[in-house]
Amino acid sequence: MRVLLIEDDPELSSGIAAFLAGQGDSVVVEANGMAADVLLQQQSFDFVLIDVGLPGLGGYEIVRRIRERRQTVPVIMVTARDALDDRIYGLDLGADDYLPKPFELAELTARIRAIIRRGAKAASHRVDFGPLSIDVVARHASLADQPLILSNREWDLLTPLAEADGHTVPKERLQADGSVNALEVYVCRLRRRLEPAGVNIRTVRGFGYRLEIASQAADKTRHDANH
């Protein structure tokens, strides 16, 4: 991939760039936000990593401009700001993920791969997660090869969970009406419908929800119990 890394900490940017280059990626590093925004208008990138606090132009504003120009390049915001409001703001502007500092480089690349996989699945309009299959364009779903009839609200909840491919989706992305209680009601309803086929919705306390295959969840439980 061709990656644009927008980071003004030279030690951190050189470390990330060397790690990604070691995996075969081509990395362009820019420390100034305004210069990075110009690059994004002149060149094509497969992925963008953006720090929030930048000279010239802040990371939030860069993301806003990217989406305002209708550029679909995947974006991860990398920042020391870990407050919930900061995460919500970045995601609402159009960032695909939000990674607080400090972080492990292996986690960064795992998140990049997950976003790339979701993008590939979205391009094909089909999302598969174990026995669950969703066509996001035709709005057709099946579970264990049987039709799964969903209400509009259930579609809005289940689709991002399936697209996340086992990663946690923040509650704020799933609260269409802003009500935590309503979200929990729909999660409970979907759980009852999915669990007989071996698909679980796991609650990640204080953050959100993710899908799990029952056998994988059982393996993780046994692993945790043995360690």
Side-chain angles (χ1 to χ4, degrees):
M1 293 191 304
R2 190 163 190 261
V3 179
L4 175 60
L5 171 59
I6 312 172
E7 170 60 65
D8 63 335
D9 182 327
E11 183 176 353
L12 179 59
S13 64
S14 62
I16 294 175
F19 187 80
L20 294 177
Q23 298 186 127
D25 296 322
S26 172
V27 185
V28 176
V29 179
E30 179 54 65
N32 182 277
M34 189 64 72
D37 189 54
V38 172
L39 274 177
L40 284 161
Q41 297 176 66
Q42 296 176 341
Q43 301 182 31
S44 177
F45 296 93
D46 300 306
F47 213 98
V48 183
L49 304 175
I50 306 178
D51 187 19
V52 170
L54 294 165
L57 193 68
Y60 289 134
E61 178 62 17
I62 296 174
V63 173
R64 188 191 68 77
R65 293 186 181 193
I66 289 173
R67 299 312 182 213
E68 192 174 64
R69 291 191 294 263
R70 300 188 182 279
Q71 292 176 288
T72 59
V73 59
V75 172
I76 289 181
M77 303 201 78
V78 180
T79 175
R81 301 182 188 179
D82 192 28
L84 178 60
D85 288 346
D86 291 324
R87 295 203 306 268
I88 293 173
Y89 187 55
L91 294 170
D92 284 346
L93 284 174
D96 294 275
D97 205 347
Y98 197 105
L99 188 59
K101 301 176 183 176
F103 56 85
E104 297 292 333
L105 291 173
E107 181 183 3
L108 172 62
T109 56
R111 293 193 183 212
I112 290 174
R113 288 195 301 270
I115 291 172
I116 294 299
R117 286 197 303 270
R118 295 203 299 268
K121 289 179 180 179
S124 68
H125 309 310
R126 176 169 170 163
V127 179
D128 294 310
F129 189 83
L132 175 66
S133 180
I134 297 176
D135 187 319
V136 297
V137 174
R139 290 179 72 85
H140 170 80
S142 63
L143 185 64
D145 297 323
Q146 297 299 315
L148 180 64
I149 307 303
L150 301 168
S151 67
N152 288 336
R153 185 64 186 92
E154 288 172 330
W155 269 106
D156 293 340
L157 173 59
L158 185 56
T159 300
L161 287 172
E163 289 176 336
D165 197 26
H167 291 268
T168 303
V169 181
K171 282 185 178 180
E172 53 268 19
R173 281 194 185 181
L174 303 173
Q175 290 172 210
D177 57 1
S179 169
V180 175
N181 290 336
L183 174 61
E184 291 176 350
V185 168
Y186 281 106
V187 167
C188 287
R189 289 180 182 176
L190 275 174
R191 273 198 183 110
R192 289 196 295 268
R193 302 184 66 185
L194 299 177
E195 285 180 349
V199 179
N200 299 333
I201 302 179
R202 177 175 290 276
T203 300
V204 181
R205 294 191 180 280
F207 193 66
Y209 301 92
R210 70 170 179 261
L211 290 185
E212 290 184 343
I213 304 301
S215 58
Q216 296 173 347
D219 289 343
K220 183 178 185 302
T221 300
R222 285 194 294 269
H223 178 273
D224 293 343
N226 293 328
H227 292 76

